[in-house]
């Protein structure tokens, strides 16, 4: 393990990957890293959380078969802690973050290094292209790739290269990471956005290159998806508490939907019980309009061309409001009381469907 406090990183690439309960995905993710063709030395550092599904044993076997793979422990299991442990253990001057639920496209690393050099940026990212296997996962993936699903961030399908607010995963200069202090370990979700904020505040550039593509496999079940989005929303709420309006306006749409739906329920109860009638009831009924419009949007998205099989379209009807409402509920809680110890409980599950 290198001591970067006294030794400068060597010229090369360190891929870093936090791993927890990813037996069904890890081997494919690792293979996509090891297939990258580079003219400089490379390594893959896996930060292993306390998995319960055999992931650790699989990682050990993979490391035994390829000396480019190195293992570090991440007993806390939290993503930013694991990333920092992997980065501190890494040896090279460029750090590429990868995820066990993702697969790098061919040539990804080489193109990223070229973009990093060409633009003089500190961090470069590309497009996250979600894919699925089951009708449920395909429905989730379609919404991930849609501006309606996740709000239109550049890395969900942008086509124009240029400076960006954040970067998906990220190809980063190690000296800049050391300068700004690595990932904030008090943030459990949204740690990449916060890191990129500090990078930009320090006068460096974050860059989006649509030629860079990463395949992402979403959660496999409705409950795991809801847990993931509630946790992500809670931590975005925490980031709003810390950084206020520096958060984009799109992050406020799901909590507004939650508040409107809650208000519509209250108005409906008051009308049914006769506590609200007459002109007041008529005026209050206006709250149903945006809720009805959202319901029509949900149906339109499910019926739109490219929606897949009937089962996938039915799942779309359930997945879109699940994503928005779970995220919005988490966001409101995060803003009001902070995210505290909220974790992505979906990562703790052990039932995964193996990749083909």
């Amino acid at each position: 393990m290198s001591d970067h406090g006294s030794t400068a990183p060597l010229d090369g690439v360190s891929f870093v990957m936090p791993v927890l309960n990813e037996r069904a995905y890890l081997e494919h993710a690792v293979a996509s890293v090891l297939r990258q063709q580079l003219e400089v030395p490379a390594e893959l550092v896996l930060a292993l959380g306390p998995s319960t599904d055999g992931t650790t044993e699989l990682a050990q076997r993979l490391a035994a078969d390829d000396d480019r793979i190195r293992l570090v422990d991440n007993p806390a299991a939290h993503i930013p802690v694991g990333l920092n442990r992997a980065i501190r253990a890494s040896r090279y001057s460029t750090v590429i973050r990868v995820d066990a639920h993702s697969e790098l496209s061919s040539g990804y690393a080489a193109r990223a290094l070229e973009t990093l050099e060409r633009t003089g940026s500190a961090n470069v990212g590309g497009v996250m292209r979600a894919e699925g296997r089951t009708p449920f996962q395909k429905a989730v993936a379609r919404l991930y790739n849609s501006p309606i699903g996740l709000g239109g961030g550049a890395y969900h399908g942008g086509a124009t290269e240029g400076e960006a607010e954040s970067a998906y995963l990220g190809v980063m200069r190690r000296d800049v990471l050391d300068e700004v202090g690595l990932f904030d370990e008090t943030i459990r979700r949204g740690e990449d956005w916060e890191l990129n904020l500090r990078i930009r505040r320090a006068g460096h550039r974050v860059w989006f290159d649509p030629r860079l593509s990463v395949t992402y496999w979403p959660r496999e079940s409705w409950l795991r998806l809801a847990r993931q989005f509630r946790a992500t929303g809670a931590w975005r709420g925490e980031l709003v508490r810390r950084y206020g309006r520096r958060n984009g306006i799109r992050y406020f749409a799901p909590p507004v939907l939650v508040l409107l739906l809650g208000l519509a329920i209250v108005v409906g109860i008051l009308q049914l019980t006769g506590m609200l009638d007459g002109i007041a009831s008529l005026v209050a009924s206006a709250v149903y309009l945006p809720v009805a419009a959202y319901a029509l949007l949900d149906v339109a998205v499910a019926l739109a061309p490219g929606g897949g099989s009937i089962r996938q379209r039915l799942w779309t009807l359930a997945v879109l409001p699940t994503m928005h409402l779970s995220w919005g509920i988490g966001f409101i809680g995060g803003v009001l009381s902070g995210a505290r110890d909220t974790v992505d409980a979906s990562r703790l599950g052990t039932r995964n469907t193996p990749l083909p």
Side-chain angles (χ1 to χ4, degrees):
M1 186 177 298
S2 299
D3 179 4
H4 290 295
S6 58
T7 304
L10 304 172
D11 183 31
V13 173
S14 295
F15 297 87
V16 297
M17 181 193 299
V19 179
L20 177 68
N21 288 323
E22 296 290 4
R23 181 175 176 82
Y25 293 89
L26 180 61
E27 196 160 5
H28 288 76
V30 168
S32 77
V33 171
L34 299 181
R35 283 195 301 265
Q36 299 297 308
Q37 298 294 318
L38 293 166
E39 296 180 356
V40 295
E43 65 180 352
L44 169 59
V45 186
L46 303 180
L48 302 178
S51 296
T52 58
D53 68 344
T55 294
T56 299
E57 293 75 14
L58 173 59
Q60 291 169 342
R61 177 172 63 79
L62 294 173
D65 292 340
D66 195 311
D67 59 10
R68 290 173 293 175
I69 301 174
R70 303 170 61 215
L71 309 178
V72 296
D73 289 330
N74 177 25
H78 300 308
I79 290 175
V81 177
L83 286 169
N84 285 348
R85 283 176 171 254
I87 292 169
R88 292 189 180 104
S90 67
R91 296 174 288 196
Y92 297 122
S93 57
T94 301
V95 173
I96 299 183
R97 176 179 174 176
V98 286
D99 187 275
H101 255 252
S102 66
E103 296 177 31
L104 305 183
S105 60
S106 176
Y108 174 91
R111 281 193 294 270
L113 292 179
E114 182 274 326
T115 302
L116 203 64
E117 184 65 26
R118 171 172 55 86
T119 63
S121 300
N123 190 10
V124 169
V127 177
M128 181 186 77
R129 300 197 185 283
E131 294 187 10
R133 304 184 305 280
T134 65
F136 172 82
Q137 200 176 40
K138 288 179 179 178
V140 177
R142 179 168 173 256
L143 293 173
Y144 261 82
N145 296 330
S146 165
I148 295 173
L150 288 186
Y155 60 83
H156 291 299
T160 304
E161 182 177 9
E163 292 193 47
E165 175 186 20
S166 188
Y168 176 58
L169 297 182
V171 179
M172 300 164 276
R173 298 185 187 273
R174 175 59 194 267
D175 58 346
V176 174
L177 288 177
D178 288 336
E179 175 189 341
V180 301
L182 304 188
F183 289 91
D184 185 339
E185 296 184 3
T186 69
I187 297 174
R188 305 299 185 224
R189 304 285 294 177
E191 70 286 340
D192 48 356
W193 180 89
E194 191 276 339
L195 172 66
N196 284 293
L197 175 62
R198 282 187 282 123
I199 288 174
R200 291 185 287 110
R201 280 178 166 182
H204 302 289
R205 180 181 294 171
V206 177
W207 196 263
F208 170 73
D209 184 348
R211 298 179 305 159
L212 305 176
S213 177
V214 180
T215 297
Y216 173 79
W217 299 95
R219 298 298 187 266
E220 307 89 343
S221 71
W222 180 85
L223 181 59
R224 296 186 73 189
L225 181 75
R227 287 173 171 174
Q228 177 192 19
F229 271 74
R230 193 190 77 82
T232 303
W235 280 103
R236 177 54 59 177
E238 174 68 33
L239 291 173
V240 167
R241 285 171 64 93
R242 299 190 190 191
Y243 300 105
R245 288 296 303 278
R246 294 183 182 87
N247 293 265
I249 191 67
R250 69 179 184 273
Y251 296 121
F252 295 85
V256 168
L257 174 65
V258 170
L259 293 175
L260 286 172
L261 181 60
L263 183 58
I265 292 172
V266 170
V267 169
I269 292 173
L270 293 177
Q271 290 173 331
L272 288 173
T273 57
M275 298 178 66
L276 190 65
D277 55 16
I279 295 179
S281 176
L282 183 62
V283 171
S285 294
V287 74
Y288 297 136
L289 295 178
V291 175
Y294 181 83
L296 290 174
L297 174 65
D298 189 21
V299 172
V301 171
L303 296 178
S309 66
I310 293 177
R311 288 183 63 195
Q312 183 179 332
R313 292 176 186 274
L314 290 173
W315 271 122
T316 298
L317 286 171
V319 165
L320 184 63
T322 295
M323 291 167 61
H324 291 161
L325 294 176
S326 297
W327 202 98
I329 290 169
F331 180 94
I332 292 171
V335 168
L336 293 179
S337 60
R340 300 181 180 178
D341 294 326
T342 300
V343 297
D344 178 6
S346 70
R347 298 174 66 238
L348 304 180
T350 60
R351 295 185 65 186
N352 294 313
T353 303
L355 288 168

